[in-house]
Amino acid sequence: MADEGVMAVVMIREYDAKTDRERVEQVESSCEVGPNGELSLYTDLLGDPICRVRNSPAYLMLVAEMVVNGTLEIVGMIRGCIKTVTCGTKYSRPKSGDPPKPLPVFTKLAYILGLRVSPFHRRMGIGLKLVKRMEEWFGDNGAEYSYIATDDANVASVGLFTGKCGYSKFRSPSVLVHPVFAHRLPISNRVTILKLTPFDAESIYRHRFSTTEFFPRDIDSVLNNHLNLGTFMAVPRGYIWGGADKFLSGPPDNWAIMSVWNCKDVFKLEVKGASKLRKGFAKTTRILDRVFPFLRLPSLPKIFSPFGLHMLYGLGGSGSLYTKFAKDLFGLAHNIAKECKCGVVATEVSSEDPLKLAIPHWKVLSFTDLWCIKRLGEDYSDGSVGDWRKSQPGLSIFVDPREF
């Protein structure tokens, strides 16, 4: 352990996949992340640690080095990416007799994720140095805001960003997590579920959700990414699909849409700290579910060893039965995850979104996220017009799966 009485020299530089990968994985494996330290990122399986941000338009990974016992060691790292998203809504000037049309207001937004500092080198200012250097890169590349997502119970992380880095608490969405059972979930016969082409999916998302907070302007890149497993729409049984244009000109009374992102090929998770009794109980539920699938017993997958995740995003729709249709889409997503041998499916919704109550999830696995935001460059702390930090949360948010 480093001597805290000695001022250590910390060097920050860009990550080099050829020389740093193994040492970065060692630091990450020593750090617990997630809600209450129980849901931990497992990184020693899937290749380059920078892959979690590589799908973003602009990205960077930095490492912190210092001399420990005469050897130069990596003691921390941070990832960051930049994209353009919706931060508000304005209205066009209508022609005579036409209603105003809502239009998205875009901003260049930076996102910090994967901040890690070795447990043996904390409280030495290393995390702060990494954040400051990353923010310099954000500013050099034109980002107007920076934000992070953390667990509200993570006192150290919240204190670093809100206390030392100038971030303020912004949004508190809910991460809804559901285990993948050994049996399939039923889907109601009231709906037909369609798999949309990326082109049709993009058209619908841009038309219906482009003014939703955090909607990525490059949604086409997300939908055409190899990690996107498809976009699905639930419509009333008997509805005849004629393409996105026909749908948008006259949608059915009830419909719901959802896309599925394959996080399994990017990272894996592992629940740590469980007793032998709890592990034994979980194994028993799997055995019973596998032997008696017709009983549809709730079972806990192998989450005490590395497991994969599918992320559901773009959840939305319309109509009085919208949440019921969304639940059917969730059933489809669960069944896709079962075929792909994933451990859980997850989605993230606004705290005000009715989907928070409609989407099946296990409370023991789910948690409340905390998003903190900072204005880069000129400070508009007086709350003047155009300061996103002062805006009120909307009914929903558009979660970018590349950042999960």
Side-chain angles (χ1 to χ4, degrees), residues 295-328:
L295 295 178
R296 303 189 185 280
L297 300 171
S299 59
L300 201 60
K302 296 179 180 180
I303 61 174
F304 304 118
S305 58
F307 62 90
L309 161 77
H310 278 180
M311 177 69 181
L312 314 183
Y313 71 98
L315 279 164
S318 182
S320 60
L321 299 178
Y322 150 55
T323 56
K324 295 183 183 298
F325 279 32
K327 189 174 180 179
D328 285 321

Side-chain angles (χ1 to χ4, degrees), residues 3-188:
D3 184 354
E4 293 188 12
V6 178
M7 182 63 70
V9 176
V10 179
M11 295 164 286
I12 309 296
R13 62 170 175 81
E14 189 170 344
Y15 167 77
D16 186 335
K18 294 181 180 179
T19 60
D20 298 338
R21 175 179 155 185
E22 183 177 350
R23 293 188 294 164
V24 163
E25 288 176 346
Q26 289 174 354
V27 174
E28 284 205 314
S29 64
S30 70
C31 299
E32 290 187 341
V33 298
N36 303 317
E38 294 180 354
L39 196 58
S40 300
L41 185 63
Y42 191 94
T43 59
D44 197 23
L45 295 176
L46 297 166
D48 197 344
I50 205 172
C51 63
R52 288 195 69 191
V53 290
R54 182 169 285 145
N55 294 298
S56 298
Y59 60 88
L60 179 68
M61 180 170 175
L62 300 172
V63 297
E65 287 184 316
M66 63 181 293
V67 175
V68 180
N69 297 326
T71 303
L72 192 62
E73 291 189 6
I74 291 178
V75 295
M77 74 283 301
I78 191 171
R79 303 177 185 90
C81 55
I82 303 173
K83 61 181 181 179
T84 301
V85 305
T86 298
C87 65
T89 305
K90 62 182 179 181
Y91 289 87
S92 63
R93 293 183 177 180
K95 296 180 180 179
S96 178
D98 293 334
K101 180 180 179 181
L103 300 172
V105 176
F106 290 110
T107 189
K108 205 165 186 180
L109 176 68
Y111 179 57
I112 291 176
L113 74 162
L115 174 61
R116 309 278 188 270
V117 176
S118 165
F120 303 106
H121 301 93
R122 291 174 181 170
R123 296 183 297 277
M124 299 173 64
I126 295 172
L128 181 60
K129 289 179 181 290
L130 285 165
V131 172
K132 293 299 184 184
R133 183 65 64 84
M134 183 61 73
E135 287 180 345
E136 290 177 8
W137 180 74
F138 290 160
D140 291 342
N141 286 272
E144 297 174 274
Y145 294 91
S146 172
Y147 87 110
I148 61 103
T150 187
D151 177 23
D152 199 13
N154 190 335
V155 177
S157 178
V158 175
L160 171 64
F161 284 99
T162 63
K164 296 181 179 180
C165 298
Y167 287 72
S168 55
K169 295 182 180 181
F170 188 58
R171 300 288 185 259
S172 297
S174 298
V175 179
L176 309 179
V177 183
H178 193 285
V180 176
F181 300 144
H183 63 270
R184 295 171 62 86
L185 292 186
I187 298 174
S188 169

Side-chain angles (χ1 to χ4, degrees), residues 72 154 266 316 343 380 395:
L72 192 62
N154 190 335
V266 181
Y380 290 90
L395 185 64

